[in-house]
Amino acid sequence: MSDSISSASIMSALRKQLSQVSATVDTQEASVVTEVGDGIARISGLKTAMAGELLEFTSSRTGRSVYGLAQNLDENEVGAVIFGDVDSIKEGDECRTTGRVMDIPVGHAMLGRVVNPLGQPIDGKGAIDTTHRRPIEFKAPGIMERQPVREPVQTGLLAIDAMVPIGRGQRELIIGDRKTGKTSIAIDAIVNQRDTDMICIYVAIGQKASTVAVIKENLAKHGVLDKTIIIAATAADSAPLQYIAPMAGAAIGEYFMYNDAHGNPADATHPGGHVLVVYDDLSKQAVAYRQMSLTLHRPPGREAYPGDIFYLHSRLLERACKLSDANGAGSLTALPIIETQEGDVSAYIPTNVISITDGQIYLQSSLFFQGQRPAVDVGISVSRVGGAAQIKSMKQVAGNLRLDLASYREKRAFAQFGSDLDATTQYQLNHGAHMMEMLKQKRYSALASADQVIAIYAAKENFLDDIDLDHVVLFRDELAKYMADKHVGLRNEIVSGGIDASMERRLKQHIAHFKEQFLTRHPNKVKATDVAEAAEETVDSDKAAAGKA
């Protein structure tokens, strides 16, 4: 008996066979490199390539894969920047699309490590075991997904926390000439997070590797390296690596902001983390982007340097925010650094970043050379968040500090043209000089917020005016130690709330008692009542310092 073959049995057999097939379809598009040089490759075809897509090059010489980033999407070719071993890629080598925008590994395992902008370790401590990846470019959250900035980020620096406060989720620009202490302020801010719940990320762009090594050692020495990630694109690295370094820093920071401590997505019941990111500095990123634009033969307009650098920096800095409670209330605080030339804040890049950020800390060379460290120019420095990012007691005592210092600067300018000054002017000069001296701080000598409030209160109430200028910083530091040892309860009250009449009375009593002891140990070299002489000495020393500068 012969078997009958019907169309139904054939279809049934085919369906059974097809159901057992588990092959995947490879959607990669392959082509070849037509031109390569200066870290730039041009690839013919690749019609499906996306802007910002990760491309995989295969070196015919070494057989290894090298990755690049699609930048120019022209009609017949794609222009890409290459990361890694640029010299191993030659004309005719294969290039494939990957189907994904460029991303990097992120996670808690990166804490305490030094990585390159691709997320690869460069500190010689072995591989980093990460479980998550994030795209280097990510859309910033909208207005409804955010909430106002209102929690302070204490830097420990009196001049900043009192007059240019920084809040969690803020973008505060640090701007100034070369060698004015910009990086020092950022590193001091990181060190001051040692006992807080903030994770810190330091992005070094175009710096010497030795400088990055020194910063790493200093962070380790002060016990904050274990909660810090350093991303280094040194001066020896290619322009594309320096270009993506800040975005890589933002991506790593976003992992902590958008996820809870266990790596799960943050929400109202699973709070997100708090991150402080330092971009040091965006001027060098702009130079790297300019180099890329030139080698990619982009026309200098909206889609290249200088036009597009504004969009590049704005979409980077907009990623810093304070998320709403429904999104976990995490925050990403950005401290971008910009280097000016001869104090020119009206140049193209500085004005760009000033307009994007929520305020700027302006460091002035003349103040730096006069010995005012940190060299913050309180006249042009501003925080657009203001008192919202300060504790209540700091708002009370520091409210008129900026006006007092502005008045002092104005009087000092006039005093240089004559010595016959009335008593009021002499008082303002002497008082202002002591206030400026009080704001001086050495590296890694952070003041707790309670000690800052007490120091400003003491200066405001004229406790410092009859102390030698040389002893003002010593008085401030020893007063902080005295209050921490003898009056812990009062310090805690200052941090937790405002200063009422009772607290004010106790503060005056304790400061007066300490001052009496201090003057016994450190007597004035000049008569305490000789205010006029102290004022004239201040003006003369400022003249001399200005002459040297």
Side-chain angles (χ1 to χ4, degrees):
M1 191 170 88
S2 62
D3 293 332
S4 62
I5 299 174
S6 67
S7 60
S9 62
I10 293 172
M11 290 296 292
S12 175
L14 285 173
R15 285 195 183 97
K16 187 177 179 181
Q17 291 288 331
L18 287 171
S19 67
Q20 296 172 355
V21 174
S22 60
T24 57
V25 179
D26 187 0
T27 58
Q28 287 184 324
E29 184 181 357
S31 188
V32 293
V33 176
T34 56
E35 183 184 339
V36 65
D38 296 322
I40 302 296
R42 298 186 185 281
I43 308 104
S44 61
L46 293 188
K47 299 287 186 184
T48 61
M50 302 179 288
E53 183 175 358
L54 193 66
L55 303 178
E56 183 180 2
F57 298 86
T58 304
S59 172
S60 58
R61 183 163 61 84
T62 64
R64 295 180 180 174
S65 292
V66 177
Y67 290 94
L69 188 65
Q71 291 284 290
N72 284 9
L73 303 181
D74 296 328
E75 190 173 354
N76 298 313
E77 65 177 13
V78 170
V81 294
I82 306 174
F83 306 116
D85 190 4
V86 177
D87 296 331
S88 67
I89 304 300
K90 306 293 180 188
E91 288 182 25
D93 285 355
E94 185 184 84
C95 176
R96 290 175 177 268
T97 58
T98 61
R100 59 190 175 94
V101 294
M102 185 174 176
D103 57 9
I104 61 167
V106 296
H108 285 82
M110 283 185 160
L111 292 172
R113 302 297 299 272
V114 183
V115 299
N116 66 15
L118 302 176
Q120 300 162 338
I122 55 173
D123 54 4
K125 293 183 179 178
I128 301 175
D129 184 20
T130 55
T131 55
H132 294 73
R133 297 185 73 89
R134 284 195 69 87
I136 62 166
E137 293 268 16
F138 190 74
K139 186 180 178 183
I143 293 172
M144 298 306 293
E145 296 171 311
R146 304 177 181 225
Q147 63 176 300
V149 174
R150 58 172 178 268
E151 299 164 292
V153 175
Q154 299 288 352
T155 65
L157 298 171
L158 196 53
I160 293 172
D161 292 343
M163 292 179 289
V164 201
I166 301 169
R168 291 188 175 186
Q170 190 174 346
R171 303 152 299 178
E172 184 76 10
L173 171 65
I174 302 173
I175 185 169
D177 283 3
R178 187 170 176 271
K179 295 290 183 185
T180 50
K182 301 184 298 298
T183 301
S184 300
I185 285 179
I187 297 301
D188 275 357
I190 290 176
V191 168
N192 202 48
Q193 307 312 313
R194 182 175 54 238
D195 300 320
T196 70
D197 60 348
M198 290 195 84
I199 286 167
C200 304
I201 298 173
Y202 178 76
V203 185
I205 311 160
Q207 296 185 33
K208 292 184 291 185
S210 59
T211 304
V212 179
V214 169
I215 288 171
K216 176 178 177 281
E217 288 303 314
N218 285 331
L219 293 177
K221 181 180 173 184
H222 291 90
V224 77
L225 184 61
D226 289 342
K227 62 184 303 184
T228 304
I229 302 165
I230 298 175
I231 301 161
T234 64
D237 288 322
S238 62
L241 281 175
Q242 294 182 41
Y243 159 70
I244 68 163
M247 281 100 82
I252 294 172
E254 282 173 335
Y255 165 78
F256 297 101
M257 177 173 71
Y258 287 114
N259 295 286
D260 65 8
H262 303 291
N264 301 313
D267 55 32
T269 56
H270 299 87
H274 302 283
V275 189
L276 174 66
V277 186
V278 175
Y279 303 114
D280 190 7
D281 64 63
L282 294 186
S283 305
K284 293 188 178 71
Q285 189 206 17
V287 171
Y289 184 64
R290 180 172 182 263
Q291 180 182 329
M292 282 173 49
S293 296
L294 289 169
T295 50
L296 282 165
H297 297 169
R298 287 180 165 183
R302 277 176 172 266
E303 71 280 8
Y305 187 93
D308 202 39
I309 197 70
F310 180 91
Y311 181 45
L312 173 68
H313 285 158
S314 64
R315 68 179 189 262
L316 168 72
L317 294 170
E318 275 298 317
R319 293 160 75 173
C321 66
K322 169 71 175 172
L323 290 175
S324 64
D325 290 336
N327 290 311
S331 68
L332 182 69
T333 307
L335 294 181
I337 295 176
I338 287 289
E339 184 179 300
T340 55
Q341 306 292 329
E342 295 295 327
D344 184 11
V345 293
S346 63
Y348 186 73
I349 301 297
T351 49
N352 271 358
V353 186
I354 286 171
S355 65
I356 295 165
T357 50
D358 306 313
Q360 67 272 353
I361 298 167
Y362 180 54
L363 305 181
Q364 204 172 49
S365 299
S366 58
L367 287 173
F368 188 85
F369 294 138
Q370 289 172 29
Q372 189 73 33
R373 317 278 172 84
V376 179
D377 184 341
V378 296
I380 195 173
S381 299
V382 65
S383 170
R384 297 191 184 103
V385 172
Q390 286 177 317
I391 60 175
K392 189 175 180 182
S393 55
M394 179 64 86
K395 271 193 283 190
Q396 283 180 271
V397 299
N400 295 324
L401 184 57
R402 185 190 291 270
L403 292 174
D404 289 344
L405 293 176
S407 174
Y408 163 66
R409 286 200 310 273
E410 185 183 6
K411 296 288 190 301
R412 189 181 63 177
F414 280 111
Q416 291 178 356
F417 299 105
S419 58
D420 189 14
L421 305 172
D422 61 272
T424 304
T425 305
Q426 289 174 2
Y427 162 75
Q428 288 177 330
L429 282 171
N430 183 59
H431 182 69
H434 283 79
M435 294 284 266
M436 288 294 288
E437 193 71 20
M438 180 200 62
L439 297 178
K440 289 183 180 178
Q441 270 176 274
K442 294 180 181 177
R443 294 287 307 273
Y444 312 117
S445 58
L447 282 171
S449 52
D451 297 327
Q452 292 180 359
V453 171
I454 293 167
I456 296 171
Y457 183 83
K460 199 171 130 185
E461 295 296 323
N462 303 329
F463 282 104
L464 303 181
D465 289 0
D466 57 351
I467 291 174
D468 280 353
L469 279 174
D470 294 344
H471 292 161
V472 168
V473 172
L474 185 64
F475 179 91
R476 180 199 68 201
D477 294 342
E478 288 196 6
L479 174 61
K481 188 175 184 305
Y482 170 80
M483 294 297 289
D485 292 341
K486 305 282 188 184
H487 306 287
V488 179
L490 181 57
R491 288 177 84 251
N492 293 337
E493 288 178 51
I494 288 171
V495 174
S496 59
I499 300 175
D500 57 23
S502 170
M503 287 173 65
E504 201 167 344
R505 189 170 60 253
R506 286 153 60 202
L507 259 178
K508 285 181 179 177
Q509 181 184 341
H510 297 325
I511 295 171
H513 179 65
F514 167 77
K515 181 178 176 181
E516 190 179 331
Q517 296 178 352
F518 181 85
L519 287 174
T520 304
R521 296 193 307 272
H522 307 282
N524 287 336
K525 295 173 187 174
V526 295
K527 291 179 182 177
T529 54
D530 197 355
V531 176
E533 185 179 337
E536 288 175 16
E537 285 181 5
T538 303
V539 174
D540 292 340
S541 66
D542 286 342
K543 283 182 183 177
K548 287 180 185 176

